[in-house]
Amino acid sequence: MAKKFYATTAIDYVNGHPHLGHAYEKVMTDVLVRSRRAEGKDTYYLTGLDEHGQKVQQAARDAGMDPQAYCDDLATAWTDFTRRLQLSNDDFIRTSEKRHKEVVQAILDKLNREGHFYTAEYKGYYSARQETFLTDRDRNESGEFDEIYGDVVELSETNYYFRLGCHQQWLIDYIEANPDFIYPDYRRNEVLGFLRNNELEDLCITRPASRLNWGIPLPFDPDYVTYVWFDALTNYISAPASHGDPLICDTLGLSREGLPGLELWPADHHVIGKDIIKFHSVYWPIMLKAMGLPLPKQIIAHGWWQKEGRKISKTTGNIVDPVAVIEEWGLDAFRFYCIRELDLGPDGNWTDSGFESRYSGELANGLGNLVNRSLSMLKRYRQSVVPPVQGDLEEEATAVIDQTRAHYENLKFQSAVQSIWSLVTRVNQYIDQTAPFKLAKDPEQSGRLGEILYNTVESVRIIAVLLQPLLPDTAGKIADQLAIGGKLPILGELRWGQLPEGHVTGSPSPLFPRRDLMN
Ligand code: MSP
């Protein structure tokens, strides 16, 4: 079996409702995976939930529920959400699943045996909300701990620590030697700056079970559970291990008997938000190195969204509810805005007016109008029968195919959208300039009319194929209206002129209803 292209997202904290930030990351990764699949690659997409830790334990207690039952309840909403977004994920991992816990415990056992851990007493500050230890260095200018830490308590306890310091130089060398390891480059420079200027402290990888028992028990010391980040990061290999990934199973000494043996590791991309880059590009590589596994090929850190120029926050009510947007405007309008508005890397700003103007400008009047009038004209003037191949727009469409593929390949999804829309705009102009509705009145112009109709409808087909990774639903609807559903070529085989003369298309129906007609 050949190795699959394997991409992952961060796993979301189960206690909370899916918001724009979660949706963006999952849609972005979906576009990435679908773009690789559109090139004919065999892909695997993993997403899931991070379920352990103090916050969940506390929330379950407040709800008077057992933590597992509490997580099971919430997990339904999250898995529904993946369907609402039409994610093409192949697996959905939950860290409270047996398959995950077994792998975490196998890793802990191996690393413990090989001397990577030691115990030590810690005296200091602890933030239960962030499940992290703090020092005086974490205080702000007024001497307080930031409000993101919630109530900070002083405590003294013994825990297990993972030796990191001995790997610091190796990691610096690795990141320097592999410039693509962290994307975009300004995030890579941040990580390198941090590693060069700070001495890495060892990582506390346990919490006493007396204080926190909703976690994975340490296999060699029942008084402790595993620190939630050590547990969560492992999802990227526990899911492949559960499918019998040979590299992972053999390295960790896990049985592959009866499992399909999917070859996934190393991951091609871990897609995450900029806030959790240290966990992914410092702790995770060191964990993998200690285990004897190769590193993922690339960590992609996306930016954060604001709404109307202000921080997204439930407390102030400044939120974007993706489900409400999808219900009102349709899924592809949501996917389109996410990718069109924000390049992969910088921070973005959601504005309702921007959303509405992209909807009516680029989707309804741009793409929707083009598809509708191309198919309507073909129906009216040629009874939906495709005329002979003609190439007025061949050169431009071919250039757009090449550019769009390159943008997908280089993670420039916003540019891919722009490139596809340059063709949408061009074909709309072509229709305005050639005025087929006028030519149709003159029987002597019938040949020229056929040429124009071919160019518009063939461009629409090319647009549909290029759109598949971004707007799978819309691409499917266009393919159905063209009556070529199920017959879309992979991107590498997409050429002008593949829509054959004599093919009979279906009937047009609006893709993006105009807002004034929707209510
Ligand atoms: N559970 C951890 C991740 C563990 S991965 C091994 C976590 N969960 S989270 O629910 O807080 O965040 C999940 C993802 O959503 C993160 O990548 C985070 O950056 C992203 N976002 C959360 N809010 C966001 C925005 N406002 N904008 C964009 N993405 C944001 O962290």
Side-chain angles (χ1 to χ4, degrees):
M1 204 183 283
K3 183 190 168 318
K4 289 175 189 277
F5 172 91
Y6 174 39
T8 67
T9 68
I11 50 172
D12 301 323
Y13 289 126
V14 71
N15 56 318
H17 284 286
H19 61 58
L20 172 63
H22 302 125
Y24 170 68
E25 179 176 287
K26 276 61 191 176
V27 166
M28 171 70 74
T29 312
D30 193 51
V31 172
L32 166 65
V33 172
R34 285 180 190 266
S35 70
R36 300 313 187 248
R37 204 176 304 141
E39 288 287 355
K41 283 198 180 149
D42 191 7
T43 60
Y44 201 86
Y45 176 3
L46 176 70
T47 186
L49 286 173
D50 191 352
E51 301 193 353
H52 288 128
Q54 189 119 15
K55 272 177 281 193
V56 174
Q57 177 172 294
Q58 192 54 46
R61 202 172 281 158
D62 294 346
M65 287 173 86
D66 158 68
Q68 186 66 62
Y70 174 80
C71 289
D72 291 348
D73 260 10
L74 291 172
T76 333
W78 285 94
T79 46
D80 282 352
F81 189 57
T82 61
R83 284 190 283 271
R84 290 303 272 272
L85 296 173
Q86 262 184 35
L87 302 184
S88 58
N89 59 302
D90 299 276
D91 196 356
F92 188 92
I93 184 120
R94 297 178 50 197
T95 55
S96 66
E97 284 175 278
K98 182 164 168 277
R99 60 172 174 157
H100 172 75
K101 293 193 273 193
E102 283 172 357
V103 176
V104 173
Q105 291 189 324
I107 293 167
L108 287 165
D109 254 336
K110 176 175 156 78
L111 297 189
N112 188 47
R113 268 197 320 271
E114 293 171 2
H116 292 277
F117 303 152
Y118 64 94
T119 53
E121 196 192 355
Y122 171 85
K123 271 202 193 81
Y125 306 103
Y126 186 72
S127 150
R129 183 177 309 161
Q130 297 297 327
E131 298 189 34
T132 190
F133 298 98
L134 300 170
T135 67
D136 284 324
R137 273 188 299 169
D138 297 303
R139 292 181 187 274
N140 60 23
E141 281 158 16
S142 51
E144 306 289 319
F145 290 112
D146 196 279
E147 63 185 54
I148 58 160
Y149 295 118
D151 286 337
V152 175
V153 292
E154 273 194 273
L155 54 73
S156 150
E157 64 186 31
T158 300
N159 272 305
Y160 284 80
Y161 287 82
F162 178 20
R163 296 175 214 280
L164 300 186
C166 49
H167 303 291
Q168 182 157 359
Q169 192 54 47
W170 161 80
L171 186 56
I172 294 173
D173 294 345
Y174 185 88
I175 299 173
E176 283 175 346
N178 294 276
D180 293 334
F181 180 55
I182 302 169
Y183 179 92
D185 56 358
Y186 45 89
R187 298 281 172 227
R188 168 179 174 267
N189 294 338
E190 273 171 32
V191 174
L192 273 177
F194 167 78
L195 283 169
R196 286 184 188 131
N197 299 318
N198 295 277
E199 201 173 312
L200 264 188
E201 283 174 29
D202 291 339
L203 181 67
C204 179
I205 51 137
T206 55
R207 299 293 182 262
S210 54
R211 178 158 78 70
L212 172 69
N213 60 25
W214 180 235
I216 302 177
L218 224 56
F220 47 86
D221 190 340
D223 290 340
Y224 289 92
V225 299
T226 313
Y227 170 48
V228 70
W229 269 101
F230 190 99
D231 162 353
L233 287 162
T234 303
N235 90 87
Y236 303 130
I237 55 176
S238 66
S242 73
H243 303 299
D245 180 293
L247 183 57
I248 296 174
C249 291
D250 296 353
T251 307
L252 300 179
L254 301 164
S255 161
R256 299 198 256 134
E257 216 184 293
L259 298 173
L262 297 189
E263 288 183 33
L264 300 173
W265 197 257
D268 292 83
H269 307 275
H270 287 325
V271 181
I272 55 157
K274 62 174 186 179
D275 57 319
I276 52 175
I277 195 154
K278 185 171 158 192
F279 295 98
H280 285 80
S281 40
V282 178
Y283 300 148
W284 181 229
I286 294 180
M287 284 167 67
L288 288 164
K289 174 169 182 267
M291 287 177 223
L293 279 169
L295 304 195
K297 291 185 199 151
Q298 188 171 58
I299 292 155
I300 300 176
H302 62 75
W304 267 44
W305 284 91
Q306 293 196 324
K307 173 161 189 236
E308 315 290 348
R310 286 184 299 125
K311 191 176 168 218
I312 292 183
S313 150
K314 248 203 282 185
T315 358
T316 61
N318 192 44
I319 56 155
V320 178
D321 174 359
V323 173
V325 175
I326 292 166
E327 268 166 15
E328 188 177 352
W329 298 86
L331 171 65
D332 277 359
F334 177 77
R335 289 178 64 114
F336 179 79
Y337 185 76
C338 284
I339 305 296
R340 172 66 184 84
E341 186 64 28
L342 183 54
D343 196 9
L344 182 43
D347 290 335
N349 184 28
W350 177 291
T351 64
D352 288 342
S353 60
F355 182 93
E356 289 174 26
S357 94
R358 290 208 186 282
Y359 182 92
S360 59
E362 286 155 273
L363 292 177
N365 295 333
L367 177 64
N369 187 31
L370 172 64
V371 174
N372 204 272
R373 51 185 186 155
S374 301
L375 282 162
S376 302
M377 289 190 301
L378 189 65
K379 187 172 181 196
R380 191 169 332 128
Y381 305 134
R382 288 291 188 275
Q383 290 75 49
S384 297
V385 179
V386 173
V389 179
Q390 203 273 354
D392 278 354
L393 296 176
E394 175 171 359
E395 208 175 301
E396 285 155 280
T398 305
V400 167
I401 296 172
D402 294 344
Q403 283 159 16
T404 308
R405 288 181 67 198
H407 291 318
Y408 280 140
E409 174 61 28
N410 298 324
L411 307 172
K412 294 286 176 203
F413 303 131
Q414 186 188 46
S415 307
V417 178
Q418 286 167 317
S419 156
I420 298 170
W421 257 260
S422 73
L423 186 58
V424 170
T425 307
R426 173 69 185 105
V427 187
N428 270 328
Q429 275 167 359
Y430 174 81
I431 297 175
D432 295 341
Q433 284 158 2
T434 54
F437 27 89
K438 284 193 196 140
L439 299 183
K441 294 184 188 133
D442 178 357
E444 280 188 17
Q445 296 288 346
S446 170
R448 180 63 188 143
L449 176 63
E451 291 176 357
I452 294 163
L453 295 176
Y454 186 85
N455 278 277
T456 61
V457 82
E458 173 62 344
S459 299
V460 166
R461 182 188 70 91
I462 285 174
I463 289 165
V465 178
L466 294 175
L467 272 179
Q468 283 180 99
L470 294 159
L471 310 181
D473 192 39
T474 302
K477 284 181 184 158
I478 301 175
D480 285 347
Q481 295 183 24
L482 288 169
I484 54 161
K487 275 195 258 164
L488 298 185
I490 59 168
L491 295 183
E493 286 169 10
L494 179 59
R495 305 271 182 277
W496 181 269
Q498 286 166 327
L499 191 63
E501 177 183 358
H503 172 79
V504 182
T505 66
S507 289
S509 77
L511 293 170
F512 301 99
R514 287 231 320 272
R515 275 307 280 180
D516 45 352
L517 304 177
M518 270 169 93
N519 296 318

PDB file of all heavy atoms in Angstrom, residues 79 155 217 283 302:
ATOM      1  N   THR A  79     -19.709  16.554  15.718  1.00  0.00           N
ATOM      2  CA  THR A  79     -19.680  15.722  14.495  1.00  0.00           C
ATOM      3  C   THR A  79     -20.744  16.217  13.506  1.00  0.00           C
ATOM      4  O   THR A  79     -20.520  16.213  12.303  1.00  0.00           O
ATOM      5  CB  THR A  79     -19.853  14.210  14.795  1.00  0.00           C
ATOM      6  OG1 THR A  79     -20.930  14.054  15.699  1.00  0.00           O
ATOM      7  CG2 THR A  79     -18.616  13.596  15.376  1.00  0.00           C
ATOM      8  N   LEU A 155       0.439  26.507  44.435  1.00  0.00           N
ATOM      9  CA  LEU A 155       0.412  25.115  44.890  1.00  0.00           C
ATOM     10  C   LEU A 155       1.810  24.524  44.892  1.00  0.00           C
ATOM     11  O   LEU A 155       2.760  25.083  44.333  1.00  0.00           O
ATOM     12  CB  LEU A 155      -0.565  24.271  44.061  1.00  0.00           C
ATOM     13  CG  LEU A 155      -0.476  24.204  42.550  1.00  0.00           C
ATOM     14  CD1 LEU A 155       0.714  23.382  42.117  1.00  0.00           C
ATOM     15  CD2 LEU A 155      -1.738  23.557  42.013  1.00  0.00           C
ATOM     16  N   PRO A 217      -4.708   7.826  32.630  1.00  0.00           N
ATOM     17  CA  PRO A 217      -3.833   7.435  33.741  1.00  0.00           C
ATOM     18  C   PRO A 217      -2.418   7.100  33.248  1.00  0.00           C
ATOM     19  O   PRO A 217      -2.246   6.508  32.175  1.00  0.00           O
ATOM     20  CB  PRO A 217      -4.500   6.177  34.305  1.00  0.00           C
ATOM     21  CG  PRO A 217      -5.895   6.216  33.803  1.00  0.00           C
ATOM     22  CD  PRO A 217      -5.875   6.960  32.503  1.00  0.00           C
ATOM     23  N   TYR A 283       7.196  21.321  21.328  1.00  0.00           N
ATOM     24  CA  TYR A 283       6.962  20.096  22.123  1.00  0.00           C
ATOM     25  C   TYR A 283       6.759  18.858  21.248  1.00  0.00           C
ATOM     26  O   TYR A 283       7.328  17.801  21.497  1.00  0.00           O
ATOM     27  CB  TYR A 283       5.747  20.270  23.046  1.00  0.00           C
ATOM     28  CG  TYR A 283       5.890  21.405  24.026  1.00  0.00           C
ATOM     29  CD1 TYR A 283       4.793  22.129  24.447  1.00  0.00           C
ATOM     30  CD2 TYR A 283       7.139  21.767  24.536  1.00  0.00           C
ATOM     31  CE1 TYR A 283       4.915  23.182  25.348  1.00  0.00           C
ATOM     32  CE2 TYR A 283       7.271  22.821  25.426  1.00  0.00           C
ATOM     33  CZ  TYR A 283       6.162  23.527  25.826  1.00  0.00           C
ATOM     34  OH  TYR A 283       6.292  24.565  26.700  1.00  0.00           O
ATOM     35  N   HIS A 302      -2.340  29.183  10.750  1.00  0.00           N
ATOM     36  CA  HIS A 302      -3.208  30.217  10.172  1.00  0.00           C
ATOM     37  C   HIS A 302      -3.422  31.347  11.179  1.00  0.00           C
ATOM     38  O   HIS A 302      -3.153  31.199  12.374  1.00  0.00           O
ATOM     39  CB  HIS A 302      -4.552  29.621   9.731  1.00  0.00           C
ATOM     40  CG  HIS A 302      -5.356  29.019  10.844  1.00  0.00           C
ATOM     41  ND1 HIS A 302      -6.038  29.785  11.774  1.00  0.00           N
ATOM     42  CD2 HIS A 302      -5.588  27.726  11.188  1.00  0.00           C
ATOM     43  CE1 HIS A 302      -6.663  28.987  12.617  1.00  0.00           C
ATOM     44  NE2 HIS A 302      -6.391  27.724  12.292  1.00  0.00           N
TER      45      HIS A 302
END
